[in-house]
Amino acid sequence: MSAVTLLKPHTKDLGGFEVRRLLPGHPYRMVGPFIFFDHMGPAQLPPGGGVDVRPHPHIGLATVTYLFEGALMHRDSLGTAQRIEPGAVNWMTAGHGIAHSERSPDEQRPAGPRLHGIQTWVALPKAHEQAAPGFSHHPKKTIPLITLPGTYMHLIAGTAFGRTAPTPTYSAMFYLAVEMEAGAAFELPLEHEERAVYAVAGDVHIAGAPLPPRHLAVVRDNGSVRIVARTAARLMLLGGTPLDGERYIWWNFVASSRAMIEDAAERWRGGGFPAVPGETEFIPLPEDRGPQTAFVP
């Protein structure tokens, strides 16, 4: 039986909806290239309200947005304006620097929008962390569907079960959204060195032990792992090859050196990132940098 470590969520109220953060966590700050994992909602925002994440910068990572409910409007400094809805994938490669915003669509605000989804950051290998930024959107119909008895998996990124997603990954990884019927079971893919399972909802057991909802189970060896749903359940599977060396993470920046983070901070403070067309607001740089910089092994 494979050994499993459970990571508990750290919950934050963002004014109308909760976000649960699983990565960076303890004792695992990363799983494969995944360095950040946030579960947003589910939430019903009040009439006239909505999500308004003002323009902010990123370096050294790719953001991956996947929704179960609701919609978000993504805008970035490349000139992208892309609505994302449930089942589709937004993949934004920050490289040496990009800025973006995320807001609830205008037409959903009068009634109060729903929001439920997962946002992750995938750290880039050193060969790509200073690459040109990019953005790609993949509609639900283009995302590979993997069907097992009582189990339906959408391959968001990477490779698994002999299939490959259309998203532009930069290292070996896998990322799947899974829905299971009561009584369904399957084996976690063996081809990736680091693996984890996140329970969005439902009564799930992994390697013979309960996986509480909103917890991340990190598999600590490469043995066979069986996942069983005792009720209808929703999961996220993720992992891949460990990254090529240490990573630092501070605010919205990920890099293989503190110098890159310091440079990005100064660029954002001095207006050195390109603007997001149509946006006049921005999130200012937090003033205290040193103590908050977290080393990620």
Side-chain angles (χ1 to χ4, degrees):
M1 179 184 294
S2 294
V4 172
T5 298
L6 292 183
L7 302 188
K8 297 179 180 179
H10 297 279
T11 303
K12 184 175 182 179
D13 189 333
L14 295 186
F17 68 99
E18 288 186 342
V19 172
R20 286 160 292 279
R21 182 156 301 165
L22 283 301
L23 294 175
H26 179 77
Y28 294 96
R29 293 185 176 273
M30 297 181 68
V31 178
F34 289 86
I35 196 167
F36 179 95
F37 186 104
D38 266 9
H39 178 190
M40 310 175 293
Q44 174 66 60
L45 300 177
V51 175
D52 283 298
V53 181
R54 295 168 291 160
H56 58 280
H58 291 289
I59 65 165
L61 56 87
T63 65
V64 190
T65 304
Y66 188 84
L67 299 180
F68 306 124
E69 294 182 87
L72 287 171
M73 198 63 204
H74 164 97
R75 293 182 175 85
D76 63 41
S77 51
L78 299 174
T80 307
Q82 177 63 59
R83 180 188 178 104
I84 184 170
E85 296 181 331
V89 177
N90 272 6
W91 178 288
M92 184 184 74
T93 302
H96 66 73
I98 196 169
H100 76 129
S101 66
E102 291 173 300
R103 300 182 185 270
S104 296
D106 290 341
E107 75 278 4
Q108 291 190 354
R109 291 174 183 263
R114 292 281 299 172
L115 181 67
H116 190 200
I118 306 287
Q119 288 197 320
T120 59
W121 295 354
V122 176
L124 299 177
K126 292 177 182 178
H128 298 283
E129 64 179 341
Q130 291 288 304
F135 177 86
S136 64
H137 175 79
H138 304 276
K140 181 178 180 179
K141 64 182 180 181
T142 69
I143 303 302
L145 173 63
I146 300 164
T147 303
L148 300 173
T151 301
Y152 310 92
M153 307 183 182
H154 286 92
L155 184 58
I156 297 169
T159 60
F161 297 99
R163 304 288 295 277
T164 301
T167 40
T169 55
Y170 296 89
S171 61
M173 60 172 285
F174 74 108
Y175 187 28
L176 296 114
V178 181
E179 294 184 43
M180 302 179 71
E181 299 173 358
F186 67 92
E187 301 288 329
L188 199 60
L190 288 169
E191 66 261 39
H192 295 282
E193 184 175 346
E194 296 186 353
R195 300 171 293 167
V197 180
Y198 179 69
V200 178
D203 184 351
V204 177
H205 281 222
I206 178 170
L211 172 55
R214 301 174 179 179
H215 284 62
L216 183 72
V218 180
V219 179
R220 301 199 301 268
D221 61 46
N222 59 2
S224 178
V225 178
R226 188 167 179 82
I227 298 169
V228 179
R230 297 193 172 186
T231 65
R234 172 172 277 161
L235 310 172
M236 305 299 286
L237 313 182
L238 61 147
T241 300
L243 222 53
D244 53 354
E246 304 95 350
R247 287 300 183 274
Y248 294 89
I249 178 171
W250 178 77
W251 195 39
N252 301 310
F253 304 137
V254 169
S256 59
S257 74
R258 290 182 184 269
M260 289 182 186
I261 289 179
E262 290 294 328
D263 173 73
E266 292 306 316
R267 279 192 285 143
W268 184 248
R269 176 183 285 117
F273 277 75
V276 178
E279 293 275 10
T280 58
E281 301 177 300
F282 68 93
I283 299 177
L285 186 79
E287 286 306 313
D288 184 14
R289 289 210 298 284
Q292 298 182 49
T293 304
F295 174 67
V296 180

Short mmCIF file of all heavy atoms in Angstrom, two decimals, residues 227-277:
data_model
loop_
_atom_site.label_atom_id
_atom_site.label_comp_id
_atom_site.label_asym_id
_atom_site.label_seq_id
_atom_site.Cartn_x
_atom_site.Cartn_y
_atom_site.Cartn_z
N ILE A 227 -8.41 4.49 -5.75
CA ILE A 227 -9.32 5.55 -5.31
C ILE A 227 -10.74 5.01 -5.44
O ILE A 227 -11.12 4.51 -6.50
CB ILE A 227 -9.13 6.82 -6.14
CG1 ILE A 227 -7.71 7.36 -5.95
CG2 ILE A 227 -10.16 7.87 -5.76
CD1 ILE A 227 -7.34 8.45 -6.91
N VAL A 228 -11.50 5.09 -4.36
CA VAL A 228 -12.85 4.55 -4.32
C VAL A 228 -13.82 5.65 -3.88
O VAL A 228 -13.55 6.36 -2.90
CB VAL A 228 -12.95 3.36 -3.34
CG1 VAL A 228 -14.39 2.82 -3.29
CG2 VAL A 228 -11.98 2.25 -3.74
N ALA A 229 -14.93 5.79 -4.60
CA ALA A 229 -15.96 6.76 -4.24
C ALA A 229 -17.12 6.01 -3.59
O ALA A 229 -17.74 5.15 -4.21
CB ALA A 229 -16.45 7.49 -5.48
N ARG A 230 -17.41 6.34 -2.33
CA ARG A 230 -18.53 5.71 -1.63
C ARG A 230 -19.85 6.43 -1.90
O ARG A 230 -20.93 5.88 -1.66
CB ARG A 230 -18.24 5.64 -0.14
CG ARG A 230 -17.01 4.77 0.16
CD ARG A 230 -16.90 4.44 1.62
NE ARG A 230 -15.84 3.46 1.86
CZ ARG A 230 -15.60 2.90 3.05
NH1 ARG A 230 -16.34 3.24 4.10
NH2 ARG A 230 -14.65 2.02 3.19
N THR A 231 -19.73 7.69 -2.33
CA THR A 231 -20.87 8.46 -2.82
C THR A 231 -20.42 9.10 -4.13
O THR A 231 -19.26 8.99 -4.53
CB THR A 231 -21.27 9.57 -1.84
OG1 THR A 231 -20.18 10.53 -1.75
CG2 THR A 231 -21.55 9.02 -0.45
N ALA A 232 -21.32 9.77 -4.81
CA ALA A 232 -20.91 10.58 -5.95
C ALA A 232 -19.84 11.57 -5.48
O ALA A 232 -19.94 12.13 -4.38
CB ALA A 232 -22.09 11.31 -6.55
N ALA A 233 -18.81 11.76 -6.29
CA ALA A 233 -17.67 12.56 -5.83
C ALA A 233 -17.05 13.33 -6.99
O ALA A 233 -17.19 12.96 -8.16
CB ALA A 233 -16.62 11.65 -5.19
N ARG A 234 -16.37 14.40 -6.61
CA ARG A 234 -15.59 15.20 -7.58
C ARG A 234 -14.18 15.34 -7.03
O ARG A 234 -13.98 15.69 -5.87
CB ARG A 234 -16.24 16.56 -7.78
CG ARG A 234 -15.41 17.53 -8.60
CD ARG A 234 -16.20 18.79 -8.91
NE ARG A 234 -17.05 18.59 -10.07
CZ ARG A 234 -18.11 19.35 -10.37
NH1 ARG A 234 -18.47 20.32 -9.55
NH2 ARG A 234 -18.81 19.13 -11.46
N LEU A 235 -13.20 15.08 -7.89
CA LEU A 235 -11.79 15.11 -7.52
C LEU A 235 -10.98 15.89 -8.54
O LEU A 235 -11.41 16.11 -9.67
CB LEU A 235 -11.21 13.67 -7.47
CG LEU A 235 -11.94 12.59 -6.70
CD1 LEU A 235 -11.28 11.25 -6.96
CD2 LEU A 235 -11.92 12.92 -5.22
N MET A 236 -9.78 16.29 -8.12
CA MET A 236 -8.75 16.79 -9.03
C MET A 236 -7.51 15.92 -8.82
O MET A 236 -7.11 15.68 -7.67
CB MET A 236 -8.42 18.25 -8.76
CG MET A 236 -9.61 19.20 -8.78
SD MET A 236 -10.49 19.30 -10.35
CE MET A 236 -9.33 20.27 -11.32
N LEU A 237 -6.92 15.45 -9.91
CA LEU A 237 -5.67 14.69 -9.86
C LEU A 237 -4.57 15.56 -10.45
O LEU A 237 -4.76 16.20 -11.48
CB LEU A 237 -5.78 13.40 -10.68
CG LEU A 237 -7.02 12.52 -10.48
CD1 LEU A 237 -6.90 11.26 -11.34
CD2 LEU A 237 -7.22 12.16 -9.03
N LEU A 238 -3.40 15.57 -9.82
CA LEU A 238 -2.33 16.43 -10.29
C LEU A 238 -0.97 15.89 -9.89
O LEU A 238 -0.85 15.12 -8.94
CB LEU A 238 -2.49 17.85 -9.74
CG LEU A 238 -2.45 18.02 -8.22
CD1 LEU A 238 -1.82 19.37 -7.86
CD2 LEU A 238 -3.86 17.97 -7.65
N GLY A 239 0.05 16.34 -10.61
CA GLY A 239 1.41 15.95 -10.29
C GLY A 239 2.31 16.00 -11.51
O GLY A 239 1.98 16.64 -12.51
N GLY A 240 3.44 15.30 -11.41
CA GLY A 240 4.38 15.28 -12.51
C GLY A 240 5.80 15.10 -12.03
O GLY A 240 6.05 14.71 -10.88
N THR A 241 6.75 15.43 -12.90
CA THR A 241 8.16 15.34 -12.57
C THR A 241 8.57 16.53 -11.70
O THR A 241 8.17 17.66 -11.98
CB THR A 241 9.00 15.34 -13.87
OG1 THR A 241 8.61 14.22 -14.66
CG2 THR A 241 10.49 15.25 -13.57
N PRO A 242 9.36 16.29 -10.64
CA PRO A 242 9.83 17.43 -9.83
C PRO A 242 10.57 18.44 -10.69
O PRO A 242 11.23 18.10 -11.68
CB PRO A 242 10.77 16.77 -8.82
CG PRO A 242 10.35 15.34 -8.77
CD PRO A 242 9.85 15.01 -10.15
N LEU A 243 10.48 19.69 -10.29
CA LEU A 243 11.11 20.76 -11.06
C LEU A 243 12.63 20.71 -10.91
O LEU A 243 13.17 20.06 -10.01
CB LEU A 243 10.57 22.11 -10.58
CG LEU A 243 10.26 23.14 -11.67
CD1 LEU A 243 9.35 22.57 -12.73
CD2 LEU A 243 9.64 24.37 -11.06
N ASP A 244 13.32 21.42 -11.78
CA ASP A 244 14.78 21.38 -11.86
C ASP A 244 15.44 22.35 -10.87
O ASP A 244 16.10 23.30 -11.25
CB ASP A 244 15.24 21.71 -13.29
CG ASP A 244 14.65 23.01 -13.81
OD1 ASP A 244 13.80 23.61 -13.12
OD2 ASP A 244 15.04 23.42 -14.91
N GLY A 245 15.24 22.10 -9.58
CA GLY A 245 15.89 22.93 -8.58
C GLY A 245 14.91 23.71 -7.74
O GLY A 245 13.69 23.62 -7.89
N GLU A 246 15.48 24.51 -6.81
CA GLU A 246 14.67 25.27 -5.87
C GLU A 246 13.85 26.35 -6.56
O GLU A 246 14.19 26.82 -7.64
CB GLU A 246 15.56 25.95 -4.81
CG GLU A 246 16.47 24.99 -4.05
CD GLU A 246 17.85 24.90 -4.66
OE1 GLU A 246 18.06 25.42 -5.78
OE2 GLU A 246 18.72 24.30 -4.01
N ARG A 247 12.73 26.71 -5.90
CA ARG A 247 11.92 27.84 -6.36
C ARG A 247 11.59 28.73 -5.17
O ARG A 247 11.38 28.26 -4.05
CB ARG A 247 10.62 27.36 -7.01
CG ARG A 247 10.80 26.73 -8.39
CD ARG A 247 11.41 27.70 -9.39
NE ARG A 247 11.51 27.15 -10.72
CZ ARG A 247 12.53 26.41 -11.16
NH1 ARG A 247 13.53 26.10 -10.34
NH2 ARG A 247 12.55 25.97 -12.40
N TYR A 248 11.58 30.03 -5.44
CA TYR A 248 11.10 31.01 -4.47
C TYR A 248 9.71 31.45 -4.92
O TYR A 248 9.43 31.55 -6.12
CB TYR A 248 12.03 32.22 -4.41
CG TYR A 248 13.40 31.90 -3.86
CD1 TYR A 248 14.44 31.49 -4.71
CD2 TYR A 248 13.66 32.00 -2.50
CE1 TYR A 248 15.69 31.19 -4.20
CE2 TYR A 248 14.92 31.71 -1.99
CZ TYR A 248 15.93 31.30 -2.85
OH TYR A 248 17.17 31.01 -2.34
N ILE A 249 8.86 31.71 -3.96
CA ILE A 249 7.54 32.24 -4.26
C ILE A 249 7.27 33.39 -3.33
O ILE A 249 7.45 33.28 -2.10
CB ILE A 249 6.45 31.14 -4.15
CG1 ILE A 249 5.05 31.72 -4.43
CG2 ILE A 249 6.50 30.43 -2.81
CD1 ILE A 249 3.98 30.64 -4.53
N TRP A 250 6.93 34.52 -3.87
CA TRP A 250 6.53 35.69 -3.08
C TRP A 250 5.47 36.46 -3.85
O TRP A 250 5.65 36.74 -5.04
CB TRP A 250 7.73 36.61 -2.78
CG TRP A 250 7.27 37.82 -2.01
CD1 TRP A 250 6.97 37.87 -0.69
CD2 TRP A 250 7.00 39.11 -2.55
NE1 TRP A 250 6.53 39.13 -0.35
CE2 TRP A 250 6.53 39.90 -1.48
CE3 TRP A 250 7.09 39.67 -3.83
CZ2 TRP A 250 6.16 41.25 -1.64
CZ3 TRP A 250 6.73 41.00 -4.00
CH2 TRP A 250 6.27 41.78 -2.92
N TRP A 251 4.40 36.78 -3.17
CA TRP A 251 3.26 37.46 -3.76
C TRP A 251 2.82 36.69 -5.01
O TRP A 251 2.44 35.52 -4.90
CB TRP A 251 3.59 38.93 -4.05
CG TRP A 251 2.39 39.79 -4.34
CD1 TRP A 251 1.18 39.72 -3.72
CD2 TRP A 251 2.30 40.84 -5.30
NE1 TRP A 251 0.33 40.67 -4.25
CE2 TRP A 251 0.98 41.37 -5.22
CE3 TRP A 251 3.18 41.38 -6.23
CZ2 TRP A 251 0.55 42.41 -6.03
CZ3 TRP A 251 2.75 42.43 -7.03
CH2 TRP A 251 1.45 42.95 -6.93
N ASN A 252 2.89 37.30 -6.20
CA ASN A 252 2.47 36.64 -7.44
C ASN A 252 3.65 36.18 -8.29
O ASN A 252 3.46 35.87 -9.47
CB ASN A 252 1.61 37.61 -8.27
CG ASN A 252 0.39 38.06 -7.51
OD1 ASN A 252 -0.35 37.25 -6.97
ND2 ASN A 252 0.17 39.37 -7.45
N PHE A 253 4.81 36.13 -7.69
CA PHE A 253 6.03 35.82 -8.44
C PHE A 253 6.59 34.46 -8.02
O PHE A 253 6.63 34.13 -6.83
CB PHE A 253 7.10 36.89 -8.19
CG PHE A 253 6.66 38.29 -8.50
CD1 PHE A 253 6.97 39.34 -7.64
CD2 PHE A 253 5.93 38.58 -9.65
CE1 PHE A 253 6.58 40.64 -7.93
CE2 PHE A 253 5.54 39.88 -9.95
CZ PHE A 253 5.86 40.91 -9.09
N VAL A 254 7.08 33.71 -9.01
CA VAL A 254 7.78 32.45 -8.79
C VAL A 254 9.07 32.51 -9.60
O VAL A 254 9.06 32.92 -10.77
CB VAL A 254 6.93 31.25 -9.23
CG1 VAL A 254 7.75 29.96 -9.26
CG2 VAL A 254 5.73 31.08 -8.32
N ALA A 255 10.20 32.10 -8.99
CA ALA A 255 11.47 32.18 -9.70
C ALA A 255 12.49 31.25 -9.07
O ALA A 255 12.35 30.84 -7.92
CB ALA A 255 12.01 33.61 -9.71
N SER A 256 13.53 30.96 -9.82
CA SER A 256 14.63 30.11 -9.31
C SER A 256 15.67 30.91 -8.56
O SER A 256 16.63 30.35 -8.04
CB SER A 256 15.28 29.35 -10.48
OG SER A 256 15.80 30.27 -11.43
N SER A 257 15.49 32.24 -8.47
CA SER A 257 16.41 33.07 -7.70
C SER A 257 15.66 34.23 -7.08
O SER A 257 14.66 34.72 -7.62
CB SER A 257 17.54 33.61 -8.59
OG SER A 257 17.07 34.65 -9.43
N ARG A 258 16.16 34.69 -5.92
CA ARG A 258 15.58 35.86 -5.28
C ARG A 258 15.76 37.10 -6.16
O ARG A 258 14.92 38.01 -6.16
CB ARG A 258 16.25 36.10 -3.93
CG ARG A 258 15.90 35.07 -2.86
CD ARG A 258 16.58 35.44 -1.55
NE ARG A 258 16.35 34.43 -0.51
CZ ARG A 258 15.35 34.46 0.35
NH1 ARG A 258 14.47 35.45 0.28
NH2 ARG A 258 15.22 33.52 1.27
N ALA A 259 16.87 37.14 -6.92
CA ALA A 259 17.14 38.31 -7.74
C ALA A 259 16.04 38.53 -8.77
O ALA A 259 15.66 39.67 -9.06
CB ALA A 259 18.49 38.15 -8.43
N MET A 260 15.51 37.44 -9.35
CA MET A 260 14.43 37.57 -10.32
C MET A 260 13.17 38.14 -9.68
O MET A 260 12.47 38.97 -10.28
CB MET A 260 14.12 36.21 -10.95
CG MET A 260 15.17 35.69 -11.90
SD MET A 260 14.64 34.11 -12.62
CE MET A 260 16.14 33.66 -13.51
N ILE A 261 12.90 37.71 -8.45
CA ILE A 261 11.72 38.24 -7.75
C ILE A 261 11.92 39.71 -7.41
O ILE A 261 11.01 40.53 -7.58
CB ILE A 261 11.43 37.40 -6.49
CG1 ILE A 261 10.89 36.03 -6.91
CG2 ILE A 261 10.47 38.12 -5.56
CD1 ILE A 261 10.58 35.09 -5.77
N GLU A 262 13.11 40.08 -6.94
CA GLU A 262 13.38 41.48 -6.64
C GLU A 262 13.25 42.34 -7.89
O GLU A 262 12.69 43.45 -7.85
CB GLU A 262 14.79 41.62 -6.05
CG GLU A 262 14.93 41.03 -4.66
CD GLU A 262 14.11 41.78 -3.63
OE1 GLU A 262 13.92 43.01 -3.79
OE2 GLU A 262 13.63 41.15 -2.68
N ASP A 263 13.76 41.84 -9.02
CA ASP A 263 13.66 42.58 -10.27
C ASP A 263 12.21 42.77 -10.68
O ASP A 263 11.80 43.88 -11.08
CB ASP A 263 14.42 41.85 -11.37
CG ASP A 263 14.22 42.49 -12.74
OD1 ASP A 263 14.79 43.58 -12.98
OD2 ASP A 263 13.47 41.92 -13.56
N ALA A 264 11.39 41.71 -10.58
CA ALA A 264 9.98 41.81 -10.94
C ALA A 264 9.25 42.78 -10.04
O ALA A 264 8.40 43.57 -10.49
CB ALA A 264 9.33 40.43 -10.89
N ALA A 265 9.57 42.76 -8.73
CA ALA A 265 8.94 43.68 -7.79
C ALA A 265 9.24 45.13 -8.15
O ALA A 265 8.34 46.00 -8.14
CB ALA A 265 9.40 43.37 -6.37
N GLU A 266 10.49 45.39 -8.48
CA GLU A 266 10.86 46.76 -8.85
C GLU A 266 10.21 47.18 -10.16
O GLU A 266 9.80 48.34 -10.32
CB GLU A 266 12.39 46.89 -8.94
CG GLU A 266 13.09 46.76 -7.59
CD GLU A 266 12.54 47.74 -6.57
OE1 GLU A 266 12.33 48.93 -6.92
OE2 GLU A 266 12.29 47.32 -5.41
N ARG A 267 10.10 46.24 -11.09
CA ARG A 267 9.44 46.57 -12.36
C ARG A 267 7.97 46.91 -12.14
O ARG A 267 7.44 47.86 -12.74
CB ARG A 267 9.56 45.40 -13.34
CG ARG A 267 10.90 45.32 -14.06
CD ARG A 267 10.83 44.32 -15.20
NE ARG A 267 10.85 42.94 -14.74
CZ ARG A 267 10.16 41.95 -15.29
NH1 ARG A 267 9.34 42.19 -16.30
NH2 ARG A 267 10.26 40.72 -14.83
N TRP A 268 7.28 46.14 -11.25
CA TRP A 268 5.88 46.43 -11.02
C TRP A 268 5.72 47.76 -10.28
O TRP A 268 4.85 48.57 -10.61
CB TRP A 268 5.23 45.31 -10.22
CG TRP A 268 3.76 45.48 -10.01
CD1 TRP A 268 3.12 45.73 -8.84
CD2 TRP A 268 2.73 45.43 -11.01
NE1 TRP A 268 1.76 45.82 -9.03
CE2 TRP A 268 1.49 45.65 -10.36
CE3 TRP A 268 2.74 45.23 -12.40
CZ2 TRP A 268 0.27 45.66 -11.05
CZ3 TRP A 268 1.52 45.23 -13.08
CH2 TRP A 268 0.32 45.44 -12.42
N ARG A 269 6.57 48.01 -9.31
CA ARG A 269 6.51 49.28 -8.57
C ARG A 269 6.75 50.47 -9.50
O ARG A 269 6.11 51.51 -9.36
CB ARG A 269 7.55 49.30 -7.46
CG ARG A 269 7.60 50.65 -6.73
CD ARG A 269 8.66 50.71 -5.68
NE ARG A 269 8.31 49.95 -4.49
CZ ARG A 269 8.96 48.89 -4.03
NH1 ARG A 269 10.02 48.45 -4.69
NH2 ARG A 269 8.57 48.27 -2.95
N GLY A 270 7.65 50.30 -10.45
CA GLY A 270 8.00 51.41 -11.34
C GLY A 270 7.21 51.47 -12.63
O GLY A 270 7.53 52.28 -13.51
N GLY A 271 6.18 50.66 -12.76
CA GLY A 271 5.37 50.69 -13.98
C GLY A 271 6.04 50.03 -15.17
O GLY A 271 5.73 50.37 -16.32
N GLY A 272 6.94 49.07 -14.90
CA GLY A 272 7.68 48.44 -15.97
C GLY A 272 6.99 47.27 -16.65
O GLY A 272 7.48 46.78 -17.67
N PHE A 273 5.85 46.82 -16.11
CA PHE A 273 5.07 45.78 -16.79
C PHE A 273 4.13 46.44 -17.79
O PHE A 273 3.62 47.53 -17.54
CB PHE A 273 4.24 44.98 -15.78
CG PHE A 273 4.99 43.88 -15.08
CD1 PHE A 273 5.90 44.17 -14.07
CD2 PHE A 273 4.77 42.55 -15.41
CE1 PHE A 273 6.57 43.16 -13.41
CE2 PHE A 273 5.44 41.53 -14.75
CZ PHE A 273 6.35 41.83 -13.75
N PRO A 274 3.85 45.78 -18.91
CA PRO A 274 2.87 46.35 -19.84
C PRO A 274 1.49 46.40 -19.22
O PRO A 274 1.14 45.58 -18.35
CB PRO A 274 2.91 45.39 -21.03
CG PRO A 274 3.48 44.11 -20.51
CD PRO A 274 4.42 44.51 -19.41
N ALA A 275 0.68 47.37 -19.64
CA ALA A 275 -0.65 47.56 -19.08
C ALA A 275 -1.63 46.55 -19.67
O ALA A 275 -1.41 45.97 -20.74
CB ALA A 275 -1.13 48.97 -19.37
N VAL A 276 -2.74 46.36 -18.95
CA VAL A 276 -3.84 45.53 -19.43
C VAL A 276 -4.83 46.45 -20.14
O VAL A 276 -5.42 47.33 -19.50
CB VAL A 276 -4.53 44.79 -18.27
CG1 VAL A 276 -5.71 43.97 -18.79
CG2 VAL A 276 -3.54 43.90 -17.53
N PRO A 277 -5.01 46.31 -21.45
CA PRO A 277 -5.92 47.21 -22.17
C PRO A 277 -7.32 47.20 -21.58
O PRO A 277 -7.86 46.15 -21.22
CB PRO A 277 -5.93 46.62 -23.59
CG PRO A 277 -4.61 45.93 -23.73
CD PRO A 277 -4.34 45.35 -22.37
#
